[in-house]
Amino acid sequence: MRPNPLPLSIRFRSNVFQAPPFILVMAFFGTLSLIASLFDKSGRLQHRIAHQWARASVFFSGSRLQILGLENIPAETSVFASNHTSYMDTPVVFASLPFQFRILAKKELWGLPFIGWYLNRSGQIPIDTANPRTTLSSFSKGVHTLRTGLNIFVFPEGGRTTDGHLMPFLNGAAFLALRAQAPLVPIALIGVHDLLPPHTHHFYPGRTPLKLIFGPAIPTHGRSPRDSEALTEELRQAIQSLLDEHSPDISVDNR
């Protein structure tokens, strides 16, 4: 649902005190990451820079982020998967996950200034769902990344929801976890859609508490890639349960 028109005071705060520093922070840390990429081929320094960018972005959005369920993070390398609700999802994820990881994301993001440059130079994994051959290549790279000890993060919906409701999931996250025999960890993002809805360029801090919740890991040992569809549904239900538990006023439909 489209939010009500913003009062002038809130629009002024968003345009003057939140959006400009948000953009400047992106440009500053994006440039810093590009410089770091000249001598850091592992992407680890760039990841630390991205973490600082994300924390600054959340700060200038005017929201306080609460992270729950850290005890559910497995000791072993895992695939982490979250609902996708807003452009602010990526800063919230980078600010919250307390470990190195790589993103499996749509290749269209690689064409964006600063964000695309970071993705390209830091070892992130592009996926083109319209091209089965390149999709398989991306999955192979993702499995290799997991086997070298780096976690993978995926938005299994494949795009941002327009209404805040959970959309159908693609099988990529489950397939990666099954191929690598790695745990699959559900993550729920709450309040991010209300903070920066897809149809607006204004921040709405405080409308809904901003939370990232780690759910219990779903084991994959002994299961094969043929189980990817069933595991995908298990993942979706796990994220739905987290959303229902931590935001009872938000209805997540069973599409």
Side-chain angles (χ1 to χ4, degrees):
M1 179 179 296
R2 184 180 295 272
N4 294 327
L6 280 173
L8 182 60
S9 61
I10 297 179
R11 186 184 297 271
F12 179 82
R13 181 186 66 187
S14 181
N15 288 343
V16 176
F17 295 109
Q18 292 174 292
F22 183 88
I23 294 170
L24 287 174
V25 159
M26 180 183 296
F28 173 76
F29 283 105
T31 301
L32 198 62
S33 179
L34 283 176
I35 295 172
S37 71
L38 298 176
F39 53 87
D40 172 37
K41 302 304 180 184
S42 70
R44 294 181 184 275
L45 176 57
Q46 295 175 77
H47 186 89
R48 289 197 291 271
I49 292 170
H51 178 68
Q52 296 304 318
W53 156 73
R55 293 183 62 184
S57 296
V58 172
F59 173 80
F60 284 115
S61 76
S63 293
R64 178 174 295 181
L65 174 61
Q66 185 178 13
I67 305 170
L68 304 173
L70 288 169
E71 69 278 4
N72 290 320
I73 298 176
E76 57 190 303
T77 305
S78 305
V79 176
F80 294 79
S82 167
N83 56 317
H84 197 6
T85 66
S86 166
Y87 282 126
M88 278 298 296
D89 290 345
T90 300
V92 168
V93 167
F94 269 95
S96 303
L97 272 58
F99 45 75
Q100 286 278 334
F101 63 92
R102 298 293 179 263
I103 296 177
L104 185 72
K106 294 189 299 183
K107 72 178 185 69
E108 288 82 3
L109 295 176
W110 268 248
L112 297 176
F114 294 107
I115 293 176
W117 303 340
Y118 166 78
L119 294 171
N120 186 53
R121 300 296 292 270
S122 60
Q124 312 306 319
I125 305 169
I127 184 167
D128 181 3
T129 54
N131 188 327
R133 181 174 297 179
T134 58
T135 296
L136 288 174
S137 176
S138 297
F139 285 153
S140 296
K141 185 176 180 181
V143 172
H144 174 74
T145 299
L146 288 164
R147 289 175 176 167
T148 59
L150 278 173
N151 299 288
I152 292 285
F153 179 86
V154 184
F155 288 119
E157 291 168 279
R160 292 172 296 124
T161 176
T162 57
D163 58 8
H165 292 167
L166 207 59
M167 298 192 299
F169 280 14
L170 302 174
N171 290 345
F175 183 81
L176 277 177
L178 290 166
R179 279 282 306 275
Q181 291 292 277
L184 181 57
V185 183
I187 294 175
L189 296 178
I190 293 174
V192 192
H193 180 271
D194 287 341
L195 172 62
L196 185 64
H199 57 265
T200 181
H201 301 294
H202 298 289
F203 290 104
Y204 293 74
R207 296 182 65 200
T208 305
L210 198 61
K211 298 179 184 178
L212 183 145
I213 305 105
F214 295 93
I218 305 171
T220 62
H221 291 297
R223 303 173 75 172
S224 77
R226 292 192 299 271
D227 298 319
S228 60
E229 196 165 317
L231 183 59
T232 296
E233 181 58 26
E234 192 175 345
L235 170 67
R236 188 181 187 277
Q237 291 301 324
I239 294 177
Q240 176 176 318
S241 295
L242 291 172
L243 291 170
D244 288 342
E245 178 183 354
H246 293 275
S247 55
D249 57 325
I250 297 176
S251 174
V252 181
D253 63 359
N254 279 311
R255 291 189 234 176

